[in-house]
Amino acid sequence: MTKSKDLRNVAITHYQNGRNASEISTTLANKVHHVTIHRGIQRFNQSGLVNARKSSGRRRTGRTKRLINLVKRRITSQSTRKCSRTMAMDFETSQSNILRILKQDLKLKCYRKITAQKLEDRQKAHRKKCCIWLKNVLLVNRSTTLCLQMKKSLIEMVTLMLKITAVSKN
């Protein structure tokens, strides 16, 4: 039936009072499908137990609720030990488990702060001028003997440098 023991007990009580599965489903505001209630009633008739069956499949060993709560508490705390590697060592689990918890369970993204050199206005202008020149040369001069992959990476590098220059202006 459902994972909630209270809903199971309510459904069985309604069944014992003479209601069928679809009536019980509408009584529970369609929170539980009538087929699920019907299966629970059949299980109750066969075994006399209201409890859910033993869950099939492998139990969670890595990403347990306890570990998820520990990681969440560590991330929201003032602790400086927020690195996934140190959390993995502290909680005696793998780093991939910690990264999976952060990404899938807590819906967080890992990032690394990038520090860049502080440029003076003169350097920014010169860098921007060089970047624009290089970008134009790569885009306009198609007969260059640079391989395509090298061209792409250079263009990406130039656009990144332009972005950094724009950010460091602020």
Side-chain angles (χ1 to χ4, degrees):
M1 266 179 50
T2 64
K3 294 187 181 202
S4 171
K5 200 170 190 177
D6 296 332
L7 281 177
R8 253 185 254 122
N9 288 332
V10 168
I12 296 299
T13 306
H14 282 298
Y15 171 71
Q16 288 172 338
N17 290 337
R19 291 187 165 187
N20 62 17
S22 56
E23 291 173 349
I24 296 170
S25 176
T26 53
T27 305
L28 297 175
N30 291 324
K31 288 185 179 180
V32 183
H33 197 268
H34 67 90
V35 175
T36 309
I37 293 174
H38 183 71
R39 265 189 262 126
I41 290 170
Q42 281 183 331
R43 193 176 318 118
F44 175 74
N45 287 336
Q46 289 173 354
S47 64
L49 299 174
V50 181
N51 299 338
R53 287 180 295 185
K54 183 181 173 187
S55 60
S56 63
R58 184 171 173 241
R59 290 193 176 273
R60 275 189 170 197
T61 55
R63 284 174 33 217
T64 59
K65 294 213 185 272
R66 180 186 153 277
L67 185 61
I68 293 169
N69 288 333
L70 285 172
V71 171
K72 186 176 184 178
R73 227 178 294 134
R74 175 71 64 91
I75 291 294
T76 56
S77 73
Q78 297 297 320
S79 173
T80 57
R81 297 177 60 86
K82 293 182 183 180
C83 173
S84 61
R85 190 181 306 156
T86 55
M87 278 196 284
M89 285 188 297
D90 292 346
F91 302 141
E92 296 176 355
T93 186
S94 67
Q95 187 178 0
S96 58
N97 263 345
I98 299 293
L99 293 174
R100 231 178 270 122
I101 287 170
L102 289 171
K103 190 172 184 181
Q104 293 175 3
D105 298 324
L106 301 178
K107 307 282 190 261
L108 297 174
K109 291 186 177 181
C110 299
Y111 70 93
R112 178 172 290 144
K113 205 178 218 180
I114 299 173
T115 55
Q117 63 193 28
K118 185 154 176 74
L119 298 175
E120 296 174 3
D121 292 333
R122 181 179 49 84
Q123 292 170 320
K124 289 177 192 174
H126 180 67
R127 182 176 284 192
K128 188 171 185 176
K129 185 177 156 187
C130 290
C131 289
I132 291 171
W133 174 81
L134 184 59
K135 191 174 184 180
N136 288 337
V137 166
L138 291 174
L139 292 176
V140 173
N141 189 2
R142 303 238 184 242
S143 64
T144 313
T145 56
L146 292 173
C147 69
L148 185 62
Q149 188 62 35
M150 195 170 174
K151 249 187 196 180
K152 283 182 181 177
S153 62
L154 277 173
I155 290 173
E156 289 171 2
M157 184 179 69
V158 168
T159 42
L160 180 65
M161 289 173 74
L162 285 172
K163 285 180 186 176
I164 291 173
T165 307
V167 169
S168 62
K169 276 185 180 177
N170 299 333

